[in-house]
Amino acid sequence: TEGKGSFREDLRSLFQNDQWLLVSVMFFMLLIPIVLRGGSAIYYIRWVVDRPDLTAAFLTAGTVAQMIGATFASRASQAFGNKLAYVLVQVMIVAGSFGLYLIPSHQIYLVFAAFIFINFFVQMGAPLLFSMAADTVDYGELLTGRRVTGLAFSGALFALKLGVAAGGWLIGEILAGSGYLGAAESQTPEAIQGILLSVSILPGLGHFALIPIVAFYKLSHQRCREIRDALDAKSI
């Protein structure tokens, strides 16, 4: 009974943490465009670019770009702070997404360049968001007196998985709505347009929607230092 009561109190304190709730919403919203773009990429290179022979190279280029982008997250955080760095990352992704839409499909090098550019910044943003989630734990402890590190990250990961599910569902809805036929030898212009939108404009709009949300994040590096100092003072 004591364990149940403790868990109930931990859960209550977690939902009193407005910054954790904000970050969890961001996790959910972020994964929708990421999954939408990633899931649509194979259809894009096959039907829009009409180069199925480049599928492996295209997907690999995106993956390598993500790996490199992640290594720059710490520098971006130190230079701008998590909040501003995250906004700038989303701006770059939006710009790259609209650029991918405008690039003629026969411009293979530009198509690859835009896809690499987008994925570089997508993965740069991921460590920033996890860092922001970590900062909400200290904030929550100061706010409620309870430290719920495991529950905070479990909840954020649950929101992330919901975003993955929503993104996967959205791919199917867009393809079906645009008239995509999986076994067909060719696709209609409407289906090809639907695929193009699902790899470029629609994910770009998803990243754009994150910008006004992150504006409400208030745990700057300075504020986090103040919180840690306050927690240290209380523990003495």
Side-chain angles (χ1 to χ4, degrees), residues 39-74:
S40 301
I42 190 169
Y43 299 102
Y44 171 76
I45 200 72
R46 169 65 185 91
W47 296 110
V48 180
V49 181
D50 197 24
R51 289 293 302 271
D53 56 303
L54 294 178
T55 300
F58 190 66
L59 299 179
T60 300
T63 301
V64 171
Q66 289 181 356
M67 293 168 59
I68 296 172
T71 66
F72 284 85
S74 178

Side-chain angles (χ1 to χ4, degrees), residues 6 8 15 22 80 87 149 180 206:
S6 176
R8 192 180 298 115
F15 280 91
L22 184 75
F80 302 107
V87 168
T149 306
Y180 175 79

Side-chain angles (χ1 to χ4, degrees), residues 20-155:
W20 175 83
L21 288 170
L22 184 75
V23 169
S24 294
V25 168
M26 289 166 61
F27 267 114
F28 171 73
M29 291 189 62
L30 174 65
L31 265 293
I32 294 175
I34 286 179
V35 171
L36 179 58
R37 180 189 301 106
S40 301
I42 190 169
Y43 299 102
Y44 171 76
I45 200 72
R46 169 65 185 91
W47 296 110
V48 180
V49 181
D50 197 24
R51 289 293 302 271
D53 56 303
L54 294 178
T55 300
F58 190 66
L59 299 179
T60 300
T63 301
V64 171
Q66 289 181 356
M67 293 168 59
I68 296 172
T71 66
F72 284 85
S74 178
R75 299 181 193 179
S77 176
Q78 291 170 5
F80 302 107
N82 286 337
K83 179 177 177 177
L84 180 56
Y86 197 76
V87 168
L88 293 174
V89 163
Q90 301 313 310
V91 169
M92 300 303 281
I93 296 169
V94 171
S97 298
F98 279 75
L100 183 60
Y101 177 79
L102 295 172
I103 292 170
S105 59
H106 64 274
Q107 297 282 356
I108 301 298
Y109 290 113
L110 290 180
V111 164
F112 267 74
F115 193 66
I116 288 168
F117 179 88
I118 293 166
N119 281 280
F120 174 86
F121 284 102
V122 163
Q123 202 59 25
M124 185 190 293
L128 293 173
L129 192 53
F130 275 101
S131 177
M132 292 158 76
D135 290 338
T136 69
V137 174
D138 287 341
Y139 170 78
E141 183 179 4
L142 186 64
L143 189 69
T144 67
R146 300 180 77 92
R147 188 171 186 85
V148 289
T149 306
L151 195 58
F153 276 98
S154 296

